[in-house]
Amino acid sequence: MSRLTRQPVVWARAALMLLSAGLSVGRALAAPVSLSPLPMGGDGAYSTETRLGRSVWIPDSLYLYFDVPDSPDFVPGEPLYIRVEYVDAGRGYLNCQYDSTYGDEAADRYRLAELHTRSSRIDTGEFVYSHRQFVSPLLGGRQNGGADFRLVLKSSDSEAFAVAGVEVSSAPFDDERFLYVLSRPWLVPYDGDVNDFVDAKTLSGKVMAGYQGWFRTPNDAEDNGWQHWGRTAFDRLDATQITVDMWPYVSDYLPERLCPADGMVLESGRPAYLFSSADPETVQRHFRWMRKYNIDGVYLQRFITRNNSGYYGASEFVLDNVRKAAAREGRVWALEYDVSSLDNDASPLEVMTNDWQWLVNDLGILDDPRYLHEDGKPVLFIWGFSVEGRDFTIDQANEIVDYFSSQNLYLIGGVNWYWQNKSDWYDHYRRYDQLLGWMESDRSRLSSQKQQLENWGMKILPHAWPGFSWCNLKMLQPGTQYTPRSGGQFYWNRLYNAVSCGADQIFLGMFDEYDEATAIMPMSDEHPAPHTAWGQYIDNEGRDPFRYLQLSVAAREMLRGERSVSSSLPSPDSLVDPAYGGAHATAYLRQTNSENGLMLREPSDGQTVAAVVGGYDCRVNGPDPSADYYFYFDIDDSLCFSNQAGQAVTVEIEYYDDAGTAGARFRLQYDGLSGSYAPHATVYTAPGSGGWKNLRWNINDGLFAGRQHLDSDFRIALYSGDQAALRRVSVFFPEEEAGTTAADEVGLQWLDGEVSWSTAAGAVGWQLFRSDSLDQPEWQEIPGTVRISDETVFYRPEATAEAGFYRLERTVRQ
C-alpha cells in the first residue's frame, strides 16, 4: 500500500482503547442536545448571519454563553462532552471554559476544558467540528448570565468567529481524533511488538541522543497551536514568528502527518510544511532513523512543572509516543529531568516526587522492557543543578537527588562544562553515578574531568553537539551567537574528544533541537527566506541531509573499536550506508529460539550450543568450533523467496565481543543472484573491547531460494576454530514506501482539464510523470509550470502535445 493512502490507524483504534483504559464515559443519551447561546448583552452579545448558506452566530466581543438544560443524563461531577461546529475561516483559536466542581474561585467557575480537538482556525473555508471534554462540571450556572459554559475567542483574532451549532452529550461524540485524545493513550498498556535490537542492560558502548519532542502544530493531538516553531502559539507563522535556525527535511514523512506552515513558502516557491512531535507516526519516524543509523536510543527531556505533568492532569502524548516507538524500532530510552522550569516553585521536591511516583506507579515506566539500565538499576538523568539561571540552593539540590538515590536508580547529573571550578558543589556532584559537563569542548579539560570523576568512583558522560545558532529565536543578526558546523568538523572534534578521553559512551545533544540548531536530525537545504532584519538558516551546504546521523554512526564505530580513533573528519566513502528501515524477520537465539520469520538451521557444519553470555541467553557455534563455524538461517518464504530481480535487505547480527572473541572474523555468505554462497565484501574483525555489539551487511542482489544447507538462505561464517556467541540475527527489508507508486494510490485527480495533487505530497518529494502508453511505459518527469491553490498543485497539460497517462512518482531513500 502506498504511504500516501495508509490511514492513521491509531485513530481507528481509539474507541477500543477508550474502553480498555477503564475510563468513565457517562450514560449514553438517546441523542445529543443542541444548544443556542444565551440571549444576553454585555460580553455575551451576538448577532446572526448567513455563512456558506447556513445561519451562524457571530459574537460581538469574545464570548458565547450557554446553559445546559436540566436532565437526568447530566450529572454534576461526571464528564460532559461538547461539539462545536464552526466556519474555519481566517485565523484564531477557540477556547471553552466551564463551571466546575473544583471550588468557588473564578478559575473554578471558568475552568478550561481539559481535553479538546480542532481548536485552531487554519482557513480551510469549510465547516468543521471541535470537540471538548469537561472532566468535572458543576452545571451550577455560576458564569455570567447564569451560564454553565462559554466559548472563548482570542482577543487578537482578526476575523469574527462564526459558530453554526453547539451540542452537549454525556457520552463522547463518535469522532476518531476525539476518541483517541479521550483515551489518554499513555494510560493504556502497550500490547504491540517489542523488538530487542539494543541491549538495555548497560550504558557501556552506547551512543544516546537527547530528545526534546516539543514541536507542535495546530490541531494535532495536543491542540495548542504552534509550539517551538514560532514565538507565539496562535499567531500566523511568518518570518517574524519563526524561532528555528534549521528547516526540517520532511521528505521521509507521511504527507498526511505534516502541517502547512501557514502559507510560508520555501525559496523555490513551494509551500512549507512542519511536523508535530505529538503525532505517533512522526515520532516513530524519528526512532526509525535511529535504528537505520545505529543510534542506540534517547534520553527523553522532561521539563516538569505543576502544569505539564500527567500527575497534575496534563497530557503525555510524547512520552507515550517515545515508549511505543522505542519498542517498535528496538531502541532504548531513559528519562531526563530538566529542572530549569522549577527553580521558582515553592516546593520543587514535591513536584518531582509526585511526577516520578506517577510515572512509576501509574504508567509503569520502569517495567518497560526498553527502559535503560546500568548496574542493574534504572537510569535517570537530572540536568540543571548548579547551572547559572537555575536558582536552586545546594540543600535543595541535595534533597532532590537524595530522594532519587533512595529509589535505587542509577543517576546521571548534567552540569556546567566548568563544573570543576565550583568546589562548593563538589559534595552534590558526588551524589551522582555519572556526570555530564554541558558543551565541554576542550579535550585536555575533558580528560581532567574524567580523572577527577574516577577518583570519586564516578564515570564521565561526554557531550557532543554539531554546532549552534539561535538567530531566529533571539532575533539576532546573522552570525551572532553562532557556532558554524564547518561541514561536520566541529561535530567530529567533539566526538573525537569523547572517544579519545577514554569514555565508554557519548551523549549527542540533541537529536531534534532545531531551535538552537544543535539537532543531528536531517535538515533541508531549502528553507523560507529569513526576516530582513534578523535571523538565519543553516543548511547542509549541499551535503547529504543525513550527514550528522552518518557521523554519529562513525563515532559509535570509533567508540566500540570498530573504526580507528582519528581526529580527521571521515571521508564520505568511508561512512557506512544506513540499514534498511522496513519490516524485519528476527531470530532471538536461546535455549529455545524465538523465531519471527527467520529460523536457525543446524546442518552438520552449523551446530550450535545454548549458553548464557553477557547476561543473555544466546547460542555459540559448537560444540567443536573447528568443525562448526557457521550459523545458518532461513527466511520465511512468505517474506521473500527466489526474487529474480534481486532482493535488497540488511542482515544484522548481535554478538558478544569479549577477550575470547577478539580477532574472530565475521563474514556473510548469502544465496544471491551470483551464486548460492555469494560472499559479501565486508569482513568484520571482533576488537574484543567488551559488550554486545551489532554488525550489518547491506545487499541488493539476494535471491533467497533456499539453496544453502537445509534450505537456508544465508550463513554467518567464522573461520575454523573461532567461536562467537550470537543472541540475535535480523533481516531488515526496504520500507514499503520505496520505489514508485501509481497515481491513483496517491490521490492524483483529473478535473476540468487539469491534473491535481496535494502540496503535502509535493513537500515530501512526489513529482508528476507522464507516459504515452501503459503497455510498456516510459515515465518522464513533467517539469512544466504548475499553479498552487488551497494546498493543491494543479498542472494543465496541452490537449494534444501532452495527451497520455500521468502518475506521481517518488524515490524514497532507504
Side-chain angles (χ1 to χ4, degrees), residues 130-150:
S130 177
H131 295 85
R132 316 270 135 177
Q133 182 193 43
F134 301 160
V135 169
S136 187
L138 178 64
L139 310 177
R142 298 187 300 170
Q143 293 188 358
N144 291 349
D148 291 319
F149 70 92
R150 67 183 182 182

Side-chain angles (χ1 to χ4, degrees), residues 504-523:
D504 67 351
Q505 58 201 273
I506 308 175
F507 178 92
L508 307 180
M510 310 289 281
F511 189 80
D512 59 340
E513 171 64 283
Y514 286 127
D515 312 59
E516 300 177 4
T518 62
I520 61 171
M521 235 165 68
M523 60 179 159

Side-chain angles (χ1 to χ4, degrees), residues 232-546:
T232 56
F234 308 121
D235 290 326
R236 186 179 184 87
L237 276 189
D238 58 23
T240 68
Q241 288 288 311
I242 286 294
T243 57
V244 297
D245 280 18
M246 302 171 64
W247 199 261
Y249 173 85
V250 298
S251 291
D252 272 20
Y253 294 95
L254 297 177
E256 63 267 24
R257 299 301 191 180
L258 295 173
C259 180
D262 279 346
M264 294 187 72
V265 296
L266 306 177
E267 291 171 319
S268 65
R270 294 188 299 118
Y273 283 79
L274 295 167
F275 66 81
S276 169
S277 308
D279 174 58
E281 183 93 27
T282 292
V283 174
Q284 186 169 347
R285 171 61 56 185
H286 298 166
F287 275 71
R288 184 166 300 165
W289 286 338
M290 296 176 208
R291 168 161 68 92
K292 292 169 64 173
Y293 288 91
N294 238 347
I295 306 299
D296 293 295
V298 302
Y299 294 102
L300 175 61
Q301 314 294 292
R302 192 165 179 82
F303 296 83
I304 189 66
T305 69
R306 295 180 188 270
N307 295 323
N308 65 351
S309 160
Y311 173 82
Y312 294 101
S315 60
E316 296 281 0
F317 290 107
V318 172
L319 174 62
D320 183 59
N321 293 343
V322 164
R323 293 178 66 182
K324 291 175 180 175
R328 292 164 180 158
E329 300 298 333
R331 304 298 92 189
V332 294
W333 72 285
L335 203 70
E336 178 178 345
Y337 278 120
D338 189 316
V339 301
S340 300
S341 54
L342 271 179
D343 53 356
N344 291 322
D345 192 276
S347 178
L349 175 65
E350 176 188 351
V351 176
M352 293 185 73
T353 55
N354 285 342
D355 182 70
W356 179 254
Q357 290 168 9
W358 178 78
L359 290 169
V360 172
N361 298 327
D362 288 43
L363 267 62
I365 65 168
L366 300 187
D367 298 324
D368 188 326
R370 306 312 301 151
Y371 198 89
L372 188 60
H373 287 65
E374 177 67 17
D375 292 342
K377 302 177 181 180
V379 173
L380 180 67
F381 197 148
I382 303 175
W383 192 93
F385 290 129
S386 83
V387 176
E388 279 70 14
R390 286 81 181 170
D391 297 325
F392 294 93
T393 67
I394 295 176
D395 288 342
Q396 282 180 311
N398 287 346
E399 184 181 27
I400 291 171
V401 172
D402 287 347
Y403 165 78
F404 286 107
S405 181
S406 72
Q407 304 301 300
N408 195 36
L409 300 170
Y410 185 90
L411 297 180
I412 302 173
V415 296
N416 310 83
W417 62 267
Y418 49 90
W419 61 266
Q420 283 178 301
N421 298 335
K422 296 192 169 188
S423 57
D424 54 331
W425 280 87
Y426 277 9
D427 179 63
H428 174 76
Y429 298 152
R430 287 195 289 264
R431 284 170 155 78
Y432 300 102
D433 297 288
Q434 281 187 236
L435 208 65
L436 174 144
W438 190 252
M439 287 190 169
E440 174 55 77
S441 60
D442 185 87
R443 181 186 174 197
S444 62
R445 194 161 49 228
L446 194 65
S447 296
S448 171
Q449 292 175 355
K450 179 174 180 289
Q451 183 62 55
Q452 182 162 353
L453 291 173
E454 288 178 346
N455 291 340
W456 290 345
M458 299 170 60
K459 296 179 69 173
I460 194 168
L461 177 57
H463 171 211
W465 69 103
F468 184 90
S469 181
W470 61 3
C471 295
N472 281 314
L473 180 66
K474 299 297 184 179
M475 295 185 287
L476 301 173
Q477 289 291 321
T480 307
Q481 297 186 25
Y482 167 56
T483 303
R485 294 194 171 202
S486 302
Q489 185 65 61
F490 180 87
Y491 187 42
W492 189 255
N493 290 345
R494 310 285 83 72
L495 295 166
Y496 167 73
N497 288 350
V499 175
S500 62
C501 83
D504 67 351
Q505 58 201 273
I506 308 175
F507 178 92
L508 307 180
M510 310 289 281
F511 189 80
D512 59 340
E513 171 64 283
Y514 286 127
D515 312 59
E516 300 177 4
T518 62
I520 61 171
M521 235 165 68
M523 60 179 159
S524 176
D525 277 342
E526 190 180 13
H527 45 71
H531 196 277
T532 55
W534 70 73
Q536 69 178 15
Y537 289 102
I538 67 170
D539 58 32
N540 305 293
E541 300 171 323
R543 297 178 177 86
D544 193 304
F546 289 81

Side-chain angles (χ1 to χ4, degrees), residues 663-680:
R665 288 167 291 177
F666 294 86
R667 298 165 293 159
L668 172 67
Q669 297 169 345
Y670 61 97
D671 183 5
L673 299 181
S674 63
S676 54
Y677 291 90
H680 196 283

